[in-house]
Structures are given as C-alpha cells and as structure tokens.
Amino acid sequence: MEHLAHWLRTSSFTVVFTGAGMSTESGLPDFRSQSGLWRGKDPMQLASTRAMMENREAFVEFYQMRIQGLLSCKPHAGHEWLAEWERRGFVHGIITQNVDGFHQAAGSLAVAELHGSLAKIRCLDCGTEYAHTCYLEDQGTICACGGFLRPGVVLFGESLPQAQVDQAIAWTEQADLFIVLGSSLTVSPANWFPQHAKERGAKLVIVNQEPTPLDAWADEVIQKERIGDVLQRVGQSLGE
C-alpha cells in the first residue's frame, strides 16, 4: 500500500481502469462467474442488436431486471475514494467497463464509459434521453415520439463508442501511473490499455481477486482483497 500511496503522491497523471470487480463490491453481479448474469443464458438472445429487434419482450425484461438490480445498490467506499482523489488532483481519469454509473454517482467527473451506461435510456428514432427508471413504468419503453426506448449500453453487435475510446486512449498515453481495479484483463480492449500504458513507461498496479495475464508486467499486484479496503488503506497512507 505504501508503494501505491507514494506513486499517487508523485504521479503527474494517474489513470484508473475499473472492471466488473468494482461493481460486484456494490452487490451487482458480474457476467461470467458461476453466479453471473450469463449463467444458463445466451447473451445473443437477450443483449444483442438482434434481440432488440427480433426478441424485444425478452430484451426488455432482461434490462428491466438489470435496472431493478441497479436501483437496489449504490457506490461503495472505493468509488468514493476515487472521486475524492480526483478532487484532490491524485486521479486524472477513470476508464470503466462498467455500465452502472456509480463512478459519476460518487462524484467522479472524468469518466470514459467504454460500454455505455445503464443510467441512460434513449429513443431509437429521435435520440431523446430519459432516466433509466422510466423503463420500469407502464409504457416505459415508448418515447414521446412513439419510438422504442433502448438502454444506453453497448449491445452485442455494436461498436464501442468512439468518443469514449478516444478519450481512454488519450488518457492512457498520458499516464505515468495506471491502476487496474477489478478486471480480469482477459479480453480486448480491457487488456490493451494497461499494457499500452506500461509500454510507454507508466507504473502499473493491478488490484483483482484473481490473477490476471498482465500480473508479470505489473509493478504491484494486490489479490484477494476488497477494492474498497485497499483504497481505504491507501487513503490513510496518504494522510487523509
């Protein structure tokens, strides 16, 4: 923890990358574990562009379930520490695979959402955005214009939002400290960002319950600890 605290103090540009492990500490399920959202389900039948057009009832039910789960949870201490460190100038950008919006809810402003956000709903026809709670209301999938409302997440069959990717790349290339929180780093582009930062000379810290393919590249690896607890101890080391 002392190493990480020292690097935070001395870094000129720190980037944090968060994955599903950041959200599971708030009580949200991940996707691929034994208790994950995809257990016994076919993602292409529920969370794809094809499902949205051809299997709309199941598509809506799946995202209603996800929104209900989101409303039952909230940001944890780890989210709050990151927001505080952004305010104090220790953290300069957060790149996240998560769609829960908890970083913003905790107060973080510089967030690149690679997979979109479940906190937003938008019309397929006119693009009008609504709060995600509208999806749980009667006729909550119909826009004022009559168009279909869809969640603001990236579906299977869609590209990642280019503006968010470009922002994430720009931050990664500026980083002299890159911190991974709760990502297995087994899929692209999740594994590209920390690797690229390391190749450009950044210190790399990985905090994850299980080993990752990039552990051998990292300057510090912390496993089998809760992210909130780790950040709490680092905050104490920073004297806050």
Side-chain angles (χ1 to χ4, degrees):
M1 307 302 170
E2 289 296 332
H3 284 157
L4 181 49
H6 172 70
W7 292 334
L8 276 167
R9 283 193 199 97
T10 58
S11 168
S12 61
F13 201 93
T14 296
V15 177
V16 176
F17 184 96
T18 63
M22 191 77 185
S23 293
T24 56
E25 288 191 20
S26 285
L28 293 172
D30 61 10
F31 288 90
R32 294 177 175 85
S33 71
Q34 291 186 349
S35 59
L37 287 171
W38 296 145
R39 185 185 182 201
K41 300 182 178 71
D42 180 358
M44 298 304 293
Q45 298 298 317
L46 297 173
S48 66
T49 53
R50 182 175 179 179
M52 180 171 63
M53 303 310 296
E54 300 179 4
N55 193 19
R56 188 160 287 181
E57 183 176 350
F59 175 87
V60 169
E61 287 179 358
F62 176 70
Y63 281 103
Q64 286 175 332
M65 178 269 292
R66 290 196 64 189
I67 290 169
Q68 286 172 334
L70 192 63
L71 292 173
S72 69
C73 300
K74 63 181 181 179
H76 59 75
H79 294 101
E80 294 169 359
W81 276 110
L82 293 180
E84 176 64 15
W85 291 345
E86 181 185 309
R87 286 191 288 271
R88 291 174 177 260
F90 291 128
V91 168
H92 303 88
I94 297 173
I95 306 168
T96 187
Q97 297 172 281
N98 302 329
V99 299
D100 48 49
F102 283 173
H103 286 300
Q104 293 92 329
S108 293
L109 300 176
V111 183
E113 296 176 307
L114 296 180
H115 296 163
S117 175
L118 198 55
K120 302 173 184 175
I121 305 294
R122 72 172 185 270
C123 177
L124 269 180
D125 293 342
C126 70
T128 299
E129 289 191 349
Y130 294 79
H132 61 318
T133 51
C134 78
Y135 231 52
L136 305 179
E137 301 171 359
D138 290 338
Q139 304 298 309
T141 62
I142 302 174
C143 179
C145 78
F148 177 71
L149 298 179
R150 55 154 294 174
V153 299
V154 176
L155 304 174
F156 288 97
E158 293 181 321
S159 299
L160 300 183
Q162 193 59 51
Q164 300 294 303
V165 172
D166 289 345
Q167 180 65 85
I169 291 171
W171 285 340
T172 298
E173 293 186 341
Q174 293 179 72
D176 57 8
L177 175 59
F178 195 101
I179 305 170
V180 176
L181 301 176
S183 176
S184 63
L185 300 177
T186 56
V187 297
S188 180
N191 52 14
W192 181 87
F193 292 103
Q195 184 171 329
H196 189 58
K198 181 64 177 176
E199 288 171 343
R200 293 177 63 86
K203 294 285 188 185
L204 176 59
V205 177
I206 299 175
V207 182
N208 195 55
Q209 285 291 321
E210 303 297 333
T212 82
L214 295 187
D215 286 355
W217 286 54
D219 297 276
E220 180 113 1
V221 175
I222 301 171
Q223 293 175 358
K224 301 188 183 304
E225 295 205 48
R226 292 176 63 84
I227 294 167
D229 293 342
V230 170
L231 300 191
Q232 170 80 25
R233 297 206 298 278
V234 171
Q236 291 171 345
S237 295
L238 288 170
E240 299 175 25

